[in-house]
Amino acid sequence: MNATSNGNLPKVTSSSLLAMKARQEKFTALTAYDYPLARILDEAGIDVLLVGDSIGMTRLGYTSTIPVTIEEILIHLQAVHRAVRRGLLVADMPYGSYHVSNRKAIKNALCLVKEGGAEAIKIEGGSKRAKLVSRLVQAEIPVMGHIGLTPQSIHVLGGYKVQGRDAASAERLLEDARQIEQAGAFSLVLEGIPSDLAREITQALSIPTIGIGAGASCDGQILVTDDLLGISFLTKPKFVRQYANLKELISNAVGRYRADCLTGEFPNESESYSGESKANLKAFTRKA
């Protein structure tokens, strides 16, 4: 791997994540939706940046991820791609972009790679997605799997509920994980499952697991960045640790700006341009 402009840290790839798993090294992942935030995350050393379909709920005002389109993912992916130098750039395949046929799924995935700059794609689902994962890998597209609480399946799951709490469903998730690994995925997101089950899956696989609401035993962790920074209007899940309250900071800053505008305090003289006097402007006009 070659060093990048991001300090002396090497470029993260799907292969390097596998190597980190083998060395038992932890890694980090966060969602990214635009150029400035993606650049901040990348320069801070985040290993994986996911242009997730969570954008539907965090930035587009949808009530779920289901309405998100491939076109919406693509435009945000292109912006993030312009910012990322070191991190592995992964794009979500939104609902409907891989459900009709494998042929359409590969076409959409290729679009995200060729036009959007994605270095890998993520798809939700367990054993039923194994054949698709295999086809995508055969097309030279690295695949990140996603099992457990899969937000695109909320109508089937009956809402955002923890998965794998009983023995039968836990065994199904373990089998799902094995099938996705055997199909050729390079990593697997475990969302909303008990920590002991996540530990068992992580130990059973040679590919890295990435936890979100799955405890500390996963090889990597991911959060929705808006939750971490406190700029989300959604209910905060139990597994989220909020590291800042940017909503309050932004609201205060905008409030001060509004007040200064209304009182005439903004802009002041130092924030205004000086120019020719009226007399000089009239003289210049007459000469012209």
Side-chain angles (χ1 to χ4, degrees):
M1 294 180 289
N2 297 321
T4 71
S5 59
N6 189 344
N8 294 316
L9 296 174
K11 177 74 177 80
V12 180
T13 66
S14 56
S15 296
S16 60
L17 289 186
L18 288 163
M20 291 176 75
K21 163 87 171 186
R23 295 192 300 266
Q24 297 185 330
E25 293 179 11
K26 298 285 189 178
F27 60 89
T28 57
L30 285 171
T31 58
Y33 311 122
D34 53 46
Y35 177 89
L37 188 54
R39 182 164 176 176
I40 292 169
L41 300 182
D42 191 54
E43 292 179 355
I46 297 301
D47 300 298
V48 179
L49 283 81
L50 171 67
V51 181
D53 59 1
S54 53
I55 193 173
M57 302 173 73
T58 58
R59 300 297 176 84
L60 302 180
Y62 299 145
T63 57
S64 73
T65 63
I66 290 176
V68 178
T69 65
I70 196 80
E71 290 79 14
E72 287 169 331
I73 291 289
L74 182 60
I75 192 168
H76 291 277
L77 173 62
Q78 290 168 334
V80 172
H81 177 247
R82 297 181 192 110
V84 175
R85 295 293 177 269
R86 174 186 172 266
L88 176 67
L89 180 54
V90 182
D92 249 334
M93 292 281 283
Y95 182 73
S97 67
Y98 58 96
H99 297 74
V100 176
S101 67
N102 286 353
R103 181 182 179 86
K104 183 174 181 180
I106 293 172
K107 181 179 179 180
N108 285 328
L110 286 172
C111 174
L112 295 178
V113 173
K114 289 173 66 67
E115 298 182 32
E119 297 166 322
I121 60 97
K122 180 173 78 66
I123 60 173
E124 296 183 8
S127 303
K128 63 183 178 182
R129 303 290 180 223
K131 289 183 179 180
L132 174 57
V133 171
S134 180
R135 290 287 302 276
L136 288 165
V137 172
Q138 288 174 25
E140 288 80 44
I141 302 172
V143 177
M144 176 183 288
H146 183 161
I147 64 171
L149 198 173
T150 47
Q152 293 176 13
S153 305
I154 57 168
H155 295 319
V156 174
L157 298 177
Y160 298 98
K161 300 178 180 179
V162 175
Q163 303 297 303
R165 277 184 157 158
D166 60 84
S169 60
E171 185 59 37
R172 284 196 298 270
L173 284 175
L174 181 56
E175 180 60 23
D176 283 341
R178 288 174 173 147
Q179 289 288 328
I180 294 300
E181 178 183 38
Q182 291 172 10
F186 73 90
S187 62
L188 182 64
V189 173
L190 305 178
E191 180 170 359
I193 67 173
S195 57
D196 55 346
L197 175 58
R199 183 185 306 112
E200 183 179 359
I201 292 173
T202 299
Q203 293 173 348
L205 302 183
S206 61
I207 62 174
T209 59
I210 305 171
I212 177 167
S217 297
C218 296
D219 300 297
Q221 297 290 333
I222 187 168
L223 284 176
V224 173
T225 303
D226 293 47
D227 291 336
L228 179 152
L229 297 178
I231 52 175
S232 173
F233 289 89
L234 304 171
T235 301
K236 186 178 75 171
K238 175 182 179 179
F239 56 79
V240 169
R241 181 179 296 180
Q242 185 177 312
Y243 285 81
N245 189 348
L246 294 194
K247 191 191 305 180
E248 182 176 318
L249 288 175
I250 294 169
S251 180
N252 288 340
V254 172
R256 290 168 53 203
Y257 163 75
R258 179 178 181 274
D260 288 349
C261 289
L262 295 180
T263 61
E265 291 294 318
F266 177 81
N268 61 29
E269 186 174 347
S270 68
E271 294 158 337
S272 303
Y273 294 106
S274 59
E276 298 287 347
S277 67
K278 289 183 178 180
N280 288 340
L281 285 174
K282 287 180 180 177
F284 177 81
T285 303
R286 285 196 296 269
K287 288 179 182 178

